[in-house]
């Protein structure tokens, strides 16, 4: 009986210790995330005159913009979200 009491007390101590380490880890992770945030900066992007913005998505550090040009064709431009510089451009033209 005495061995069972010792085992239960030991397991209780391990549970409490594990919970304390879990809380310390969560607080440390939260503090690290709050310090790593960068302030936003303004980015200007020039688009041709007569162009309509059809769609814009932000995903994984990239801004994907779909434009309708004045001649009716579409252009997809991928921009770096931090610098605003184009990294890729795709022109979509109709064969009509």
């Amino acid at each position: 009986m005495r061995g069972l009491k010792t085992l239960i007390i030991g397991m209780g101590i391990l549970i409490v210790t594990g919970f304390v380490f879990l809380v310390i880890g969560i607080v440390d992770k939260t503090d690290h995330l709050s310090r790593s945030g960068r302030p936003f900066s303004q980015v200007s992007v020039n688009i041709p005159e007569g162009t309509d913005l059809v769609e814009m998505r932000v995903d994984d550090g990239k801004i994907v913009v779909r434009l309708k040009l004045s001649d009716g064709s579409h252009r997809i431009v991928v921009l770096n979200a931090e610098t605003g510089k184009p990294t890729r451009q795709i022109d979509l033209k109709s064969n009509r």
Side-chain angles (χ1 to χ4, degrees), residues 29-61:
K29 190 71 150 176
T30 305
D31 185 47
H32 174 71
L33 289 175
S34 67
R35 283 186 275 126
S36 68
R38 294 184 301 251
F40 289 101
S41 61
Q42 183 174 348
V43 174
S44 296
V45 178
N46 295 323
I47 59 174
E49 192 172 324
T51 301
D52 293 327
L53 177 64
V54 177
E55 180 182 11
M56 182 176 79
R57 294 181 185 202
V58 179
D59 185 35
D60 194 32

Side-chain angles (χ1 to χ4, degrees), residues 70-87:
S70 58
D71 66 357
S73 64
H74 288 256
R75 177 178 291 164
I76 298 173
V77 181
V78 180
L79 306 162
N80 182 313
E82 290 183 19
T83 64
K85 294 184 179 181
T87 59

Side-chain angles (χ1 to χ4, degrees), residues 2-25:
R2 185 178 175 122
L4 184 60
K5 283 183 183 179
T6 305
L7 183 63
I8 291 174
I9 291 172
M11 290 174 73
I13 291 172
L14 283 175
I15 290 172
V16 170
T17 305
F19 184 73
V20 168
F21 278 114
L22 179 67
V23 170
I24 290 171

